[in-house]
Protein backbone atom coordinates (compact mmCIF):
# COMPACT_ATOMS: atom_id res chain seq x y z
CA UNK A 1 0.00 0.00 0.00
CA UNK A 2 1.25 3.44 -0.94
CA UNK A 3 0.92 6.05 1.73
CA UNK A 4 2.06 8.99 -0.39
CA UNK A 5 2.44 9.82 -4.03
CA UNK A 6 5.79 9.56 -5.77
CA UNK A 7 5.84 13.00 -7.32
CA UNK A 8 9.66 13.07 -7.23
CA UNK A 9 10.28 10.05 -9.49
CA UNK A 10 11.26 12.20 -12.46
CA UNK A 11 13.85 14.04 -10.34
CA UNK A 12 17.41 13.23 -9.29
CA UNK A 13 17.04 11.81 -5.78
CA UNK A 14 19.73 10.58 -3.38
CA UNK A 15 18.90 6.94 -2.72
CA UNK A 16 22.02 5.98 -0.73
CA UNK A 17 25.25 7.32 0.68
CA UNK A 18 28.41 6.04 2.36
CA UNK A 19 31.95 7.34 2.82
CA UNK A 20 33.09 6.18 -0.62
CA UNK A 21 30.19 7.34 -2.76
CA UNK A 22 26.58 8.22 -3.32
CA UNK A 23 23.63 6.70 -5.16
CA UNK A 24 21.43 8.94 -7.27
CA UNK A 25 18.26 7.16 -8.40
CA UNK A 26 20.00 3.88 -7.45
CA UNK A 27 23.02 4.61 -9.70
CA UNK A 28 26.37 4.59 -7.85
CA UNK A 29 28.88 7.47 -8.13
CA UNK A 30 32.32 7.24 -6.50
CA UNK A 31 33.53 10.73 -7.35
CA UNK A 32 32.62 14.30 -6.46
CA UNK A 33 29.57 15.58 -8.27
CA UNK A 34 26.85 18.17 -8.45
CA UNK A 35 23.21 17.14 -8.46
CA UNK A 36 20.20 19.22 -9.43
CA UNK A 37 16.61 17.98 -9.40
CA UNK A 38 16.04 18.06 -13.17
CA UNK A 39 19.60 17.57 -14.50
CA UNK A 40 21.54 14.28 -14.44
CA UNK A 41 24.46 14.27 -11.96
CA UNK A 42 27.63 15.91 -13.25
CA UNK A 43 31.23 15.29 -12.20
CA UNK A 44 32.64 18.07 -10.02
CA UNK A 45 36.41 18.40 -10.29
CA UNK A 46 37.10 18.47 -6.53
CA UNK A 47 38.75 15.64 -4.63
CA UNK A 48 39.54 17.40 -1.35
CA UNK A 49 37.91 20.24 0.56
CA UNK A 50 41.27 22.04 0.60
CA UNK A 51 41.25 22.13 -3.22
CA UNK A 52 38.08 24.23 -3.49
CA UNK A 53 38.47 27.47 -5.45
CA UNK A 54 36.14 30.27 -6.49
CA UNK A 55 36.00 28.65 -9.94
CA UNK A 56 34.21 25.59 -8.52
CA UNK A 57 31.41 27.80 -7.20
CA UNK A 58 31.30 29.95 -10.35
CA UNK A 59 30.47 26.77 -12.27
CA UNK A 60 27.60 26.06 -9.87
CA UNK A 61 26.37 29.66 -10.19
CA UNK A 62 25.76 29.11 -13.93
CA UNK A 63 22.77 26.92 -13.00
CA UNK A 64 21.24 29.78 -10.97
CA UNK A 65 20.13 27.65 -8.00
CA UNK A 66 18.05 28.98 -5.11
CA UNK A 67 20.39 27.35 -2.61
CA UNK A 68 23.55 25.22 -2.65
CA UNK A 69 24.03 22.36 -0.21
CA UNK A 70 27.74 21.59 0.11
CA UNK A 71 28.60 18.13 1.41
CA UNK A 72 32.10 18.33 2.85
CA UNK A 73 32.71 14.65 3.65
CA UNK A 74 32.58 12.97 7.03
CA UNK A 75 32.63 16.24 8.95
CA UNK A 76 31.17 19.67 8.45
CA UNK A 77 33.59 22.29 7.16
CA UNK A 78 32.96 25.87 6.09
CA UNK A 79 34.24 27.58 2.96
CA UNK A 80 35.79 31.03 3.01
CA UNK A 81 33.25 33.67 1.89
CA UNK A 82 35.50 34.82 -0.96
CA UNK A 83 35.13 31.39 -2.60
CA UNK A 84 31.35 31.70 -2.85
CA UNK A 85 31.26 35.37 -3.87
CA UNK A 86 29.71 34.55 -7.26
CA UNK A 87 26.77 32.89 -5.50
CA UNK A 88 26.51 35.54 -2.79
CA UNK A 89 26.25 38.22 -5.49
CA UNK A 90 23.18 36.36 -6.79
CA UNK A 91 21.73 36.11 -3.25
CA UNK A 92 22.21 32.34 -3.29
CA UNK A 93 22.97 30.79 0.07
CA UNK A 94 25.59 28.07 0.50
CA UNK A 95 24.97 25.69 3.37
CA UNK A 96 27.92 23.51 4.41
CA UNK A 97 27.32 20.24 6.21
CA UNK A 98 28.68 16.73 6.45
CA UNK A 99 27.80 14.76 3.34
CA UNK A 100 25.16 12.52 4.92
CA UNK A 101 23.27 15.55 6.22
CA UNK A 102 23.73 17.25 2.85
CA UNK A 103 22.14 14.31 1.04
CA UNK A 104 19.15 14.27 3.37
CA UNK A 105 18.71 18.04 3.15
CA UNK A 106 18.93 17.99 -0.65
CA UNK A 107 16.16 15.37 -0.82
CA UNK A 108 13.89 17.42 1.44
CA UNK A 109 14.42 20.67 -0.48
CA UNK A 110 14.11 18.94 -3.84
CA UNK A 111 10.86 17.33 -2.66
CA UNK A 112 9.55 20.80 -1.78
CA UNK A 113 10.15 21.90 -5.36
CA UNK A 114 13.15 24.11 -4.58
CA UNK A 115 15.83 24.69 -7.21
CA UNK A 116 18.62 23.25 -5.08
CA UNK A 117 22.11 22.14 -6.03
CA UNK A 118 23.84 19.40 -4.07
CA UNK A 119 27.63 19.70 -4.36
CA UNK A 120 29.31 16.63 -2.85
CA UNK A 121 33.00 16.18 -2.23
CA UNK A 122 33.82 12.49 -2.49
CA UNK A 123 37.38 11.26 -2.42
CA UNK A 124 40.57 12.20 -0.60
Amino acid sequence: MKLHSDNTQQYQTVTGYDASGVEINAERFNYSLTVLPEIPPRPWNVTRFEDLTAFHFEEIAKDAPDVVILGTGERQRFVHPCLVASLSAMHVGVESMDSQAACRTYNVLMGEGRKVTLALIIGG
Side-chain angles (χ1 to χ4, degrees):
M1 172 188 300
K2 264 190 169 175
L3 298 177
H4 59 81
S5 65
D6 278 337
N7 60 353
T8 61
Q9 285 183 341
Q10 71 271 23
Y11 299 117
Q12 306 303 314
T13 304
V14 177
T15 52
Y17 179 83
D18 60 36
S20 64
V22 66
E23 288 183 7
I24 307 297
N25 294 348
E27 182 179 345
R28 181 87 177 160
F29 296 89
N30 295 319
Y31 51 83
S32 298
L33 70 161
T34 58
V35 183
L36 289 86
E38 297 177 347
I39 299 172
R42 294 182 276 196
W44 196 35
N45 191 22
V46 180
T47 54
R48 298 178 326 130
F49 177 84
E50 295 79 12
D51 297 335
L52 285 171
T53 67
F55 174 77
H56 294 111
F57 294 99
E58 291 164 6
E59 289 296 306
I60 290 171
K62 291 177 184 177
D63 293 317
D66 292 337
V67 64
V68 175
I69 306 300
L70 175 63
T72 59
E74 292 185 12
R75 65 184 176 97
Q76 181 181 30
R77 301 175 76 179
F78 297 96
V79 295
H80 194 280
C82 70
L83 296 181
V84 296
S86 59
L87 291 162
S88 297
M90 298 168 54
H91 304 288
V92 174
V94 177
E95 300 294 331
S96 294
M97 51 192 76
D98 70 76
S99 291
Q100 288 188 11
C103 290
R104 291 189 304 269
T105 302
Y106 165 81
N107 278 352
V108 169
L109 294 176
M110 180 269 311
E112 292 174 350
R114 300 279 304 272
K115 188 173 181 186
V116 58
T117 296
L118 173 63
L120 277 179
I121 300 171
I122 298 171

